[in-house]
Amino acid sequence: MHGIHFYVTRRGAQQKIKDAKDNEAEQERIRSVLSKKIEKWRKRQLRLMPAVADMVPDAETDDDPEETNLFLPSSFSATDRDDLGLRSLAEVEMQLREGEACDAIES
C-alpha cells in the first residue's frame, strides 16, 4: 500500500520543515514537493478506495500539506471501514505497519 510509504514521507517532511524554521524558502520548497506527492497519492487512493472520494479534499487547497489527513483505512472507525468496503485494505495496512515497526526496532 503506497499510503503507508507516503505516511512516512509526510512525517519526514514535518521534521524537515521544523528543521528549516528560519528558512522560509526551504519550507515552501518542501511543502511544494509534498503537495505534488499528495496529489499523486490522491489519484491512486481514489482508484483503490473510491468510496472515500467525497471525503477527501483537493490537495491543491491545502496550505500545510505536512498536516494533511491521508485518509488511510486506519483513519476511519471499524464501522466506517466496513461501510466503505475498506476492511481488506485495513488489514493490509496493519500488516505493513507491523513490518515497519519491526524494521524500526531492528535498525
Side-chain angles (χ1 to χ4, degrees):
M1 177 181 273
H2 300 282
I4 298 296
H5 174 71
F6 186 73
Y7 175 80
V8 172
T9 300
R10 188 194 65 166
R11 289 185 52 110
Q14 289 171 330
Q15 186 59 50
K16 287 178 183 178
I17 288 169
K18 284 181 184 178
D19 292 345
K21 65 182 177 202
D22 297 326
N23 188 339
E24 192 171 319
E26 179 63 7
Q27 288 181 337
E28 287 306 311
R29 186 194 69 74
I30 294 166
R31 286 187 174 113
S32 176
V33 169
L34 189 57
S35 290
K36 289 175 185 171
K37 289 181 179 184
I38 290 172
E39 189 175 331
K40 288 179 183 177
W41 160 241
R42 292 292 186 224
K43 290 176 184 175
R44 181 174 287 141
Q45 180 179 37
L46 294 178
R47 285 192 306 271
L48 294 169
M49 303 166 55
V52 303
D54 292 338
M55 298 173 215
V56 176
D58 184 7
E60 294 176 22
T61 64
D62 209 347
D63 292 334
D64 294 319
E66 69 275 14
E67 300 299 328
T68 296
N69 182 344
L70 299 177
F71 293 95
L72 296 173
S74 62
S75 301
F76 299 94
S77 70
T79 301
D80 288 342
R81 285 192 298 267
D82 287 343
D83 292 346
L84 295 168
L86 302 177
R87 183 182 291 185
S88 63
L89 285 175
E91 291 171 8
V92 171
E93 179 185 354
M94 179 164 339
Q95 291 171 354
L96 290 169
R97 286 184 183 269
E98 287 175 0
E100 183 179 49
C102 287
D103 289 348
I105 289 169
E106 292 175 2
S107 53

